[in-house]
Amino acid sequence: MSISEANNVSGSVSEFILLGFPCRREIQILLFVIFSLIYLLTLLGNTSIICAVWSSRKLHTPMYILLANFSFLEICYVSSDMPKMLSNIISQTRSISYAGCLLQFYFFFSMCAAEGYFLSAMSFDRFLAICRPLHYPTIMTHHLCARLVVFCWAGGFLSILIPAVLMSWVPFCGPNIIDHFFCDLGPLLALSCAPVPKTTLTCATVSSLIIFITFLYILGSYTLVLRAVLRVPAGSGRNKAFSTCASHFLVVSLFYGSVMVMYVSPGSRSHPGTQKFVTLFYCMATPLFNPLIYSLRNKDMKDALKKVLGAPSKEIPKNTEK
């Protein structure tokens, strides 16, 4: 791998080197195959959910509209860093321009913030459906659903705007080697020529507020949902509600568990290997598992996916014997 200093006349860095996964060439090829397969499966799974919701009128409800937007978000989320990581694995330079690095930072963390907002909106939808079933049709209208979708998308991009602007003012004069597979916050700040306490404090404050506020809201919503479900007499309705909420909370646990380990745990950033592994988990594993978690335990979604994929739906014949 050729590593240049990449300094221009003024002495500022014009490009960065993403170190990625330094290992033997055979291992790199294996990683490229594995990550490419995960990326393709993620795109296929989330695209299938979007097509299923789009094609089935039965799924044109707020819950599934939020789910379709969430799946599209997962596609954008995983595409903000995976293509560049895959190209760098098989490349000899592994470089990314200064502007490209800042854009990757902005889009990745904007999608990460938007994911927290969408998970909050989906927990609000389930809270209304289970705890306020009689008021649900009048409160969760398509108009409110559209406003929630706009808020989640816009909120994600606006929340990271100030940290992104501050990062663009951070001085970089070398070295330009990032010991990561994408332009993450910690490795970028570590390359600063001068201390930037205000930028570090602002980025940490914004990320912590987004993580904790959305997580506590989701936790509170599902606590109320669980209490309501436990009050329902045992039967199919109770089992269905518990199954739906359990699958939602599993997605929340996967996402927030890894994000908190990465950006809240004080010792996680001091170990590059741990940092890469945890980052790989929440930027690759969660987008891959989300469509499986949301669709495999949902009969309506499974029926719609069978129609999209062209698989015949199996109907159990009724027993006509007396």
Side-chain angles (χ1 to χ4, degrees):
M1 179 181 67
S2 61
I3 301 176
S4 63
E5 294 297 328
N7 290 16
N8 56 23
V9 178
S10 64
S12 61
V13 168
S14 60
E15 68 175 18
F16 293 99
I17 306 297
L18 293 170
L19 197 58
F21 306 95
C23 52
R24 297 201 309 269
R25 189 61 180 171
E26 297 80 7
I27 303 297
Q28 290 178 351
I29 295 175
L30 178 61
L31 290 176
F32 177 79
V33 173
I34 294 174
F35 293 157
S36 297
L37 182 60
I38 293 175
Y39 182 51
L40 291 175
L41 289 175
T42 302
L43 295 181
L44 178 61
N46 287 285
T47 302
S48 298
I49 287 182
I50 296 173
C51 294
V53 174
W54 180 269
S55 62
S56 176
R57 288 186 176 273
K58 191 176 182 180
L59 301 184
H60 291 178
T61 60
M63 184 181 76
Y64 293 108
I65 291 173
L66 289 172
L67 178 57
N69 277 272
F70 185 70
S71 294
F72 181 67
L73 170 68
E74 295 291 61
I75 293 175
C76 299
Y77 180 44
V78 76
S79 298
S80 63
D81 61 337
M82 283 288 290
K84 187 62 180 178
M85 184 187 74
L86 291 173
S87 65
N88 284 343
I89 289 178
I90 58 175
S91 173
Q92 295 298 316
T93 56
R94 301 183 182 181
S95 63
I96 184 172
S97 66
Y98 172 80
C101 189
L102 290 183
L103 283 174
Q104 187 184 64
F105 166 84
Y106 175 63
F107 280 105
F108 178 84
F109 286 101
S110 295
M111 299 299 168
C112 193
E115 180 156 352
Y117 297 144
F118 266 108
L119 289 172
S120 300
M122 294 165 78
S123 69
F124 173 68
D125 175 79
R126 290 301 85 202
F127 165 76
L128 288 178
I130 295 174
C131 299
R132 302 288 187 272
L134 298 179
H135 299 89
Y136 180 80
T138 57
I139 298 177
M140 184 54 75
T141 61
H142 285 280
H143 179 66
L144 178 59
C145 181
R147 291 173 63 182
L148 287 174
V149 168
V150 172
F151 169 79
C152 292
W153 282 107
F157 283 98
L158 292 177
S159 298
I160 309 300
L161 189 59
I162 292 178
V165 171
L166 292 177
M167 287 298 299
S168 67
W169 295 345
V170 174
F172 297 105
C173 52
N176 66 333
I177 302 174
I178 301 176
D179 190 8
H180 214 308
F181 58 85
F182 86 109
C183 296
D184 200 359
L185 176 63
L188 272 177
L189 290 175
L191 296 180
S192 174
C193 297
V196 282
K198 292 183 179 180
T199 299
T200 304
L201 178 62
T202 302
C203 293
T205 302
V206 170
S207 61
S208 297
L209 284 175
I210 294 173
I211 292 171
F212 281 110
I213 290 177
T214 55
F215 178 72
L216 291 176
Y217 176 80
I218 294 168
L219 188 62
S221 298
Y222 281 115
T223 300
L224 295 176
V225 167
L226 181 60
R227 289 176 58 188
V229 169
L230 293 177
R231 291 174 185 167
V232 176
S236 59
R238 176 177 175 175
N239 294 336
K240 182 179 180 181
F242 187 80
S243 176
T244 301
C245 295
S247 62
H248 286 209
F249 196 73
L250 180 57
V251 172
V252 171
S253 302
L254 287 173
F255 177 71
Y256 281 99
S258 54
V259 168
M260 286 184 178
V261 168
M262 188 66 236
Y263 296 103
V264 178
S265 178
S268 60
R269 298 187 187 185
S270 60
H271 304 286
T274 304
Q275 189 178 29
K276 293 179 188 179
F277 176 78
V278 176
T279 307
L280 267 178
F281 184 82
Y282 75 77
C283 74
M284 290 178 58
T286 52
L288 174 65
F289 293 146
N290 285 349
L292 298 175
I293 293 171
Y294 277 111
S295 61
L296 289 182
R297 303 189 70 176
N298 189 302
K299 182 179 182 300
D300 294 335
M301 179 59 70
K302 286 192 288 186
D303 292 340
L305 284 173
K306 288 178 181 178
K307 292 180 181 179
V308 169
L309 300 176
S313 59
K314 296 181 180 179
E315 296 185 358
I316 301 175
K318 295 182 179 180
N319 187 4
T320 58
E321 295 181 2
K322 295 183 179 179

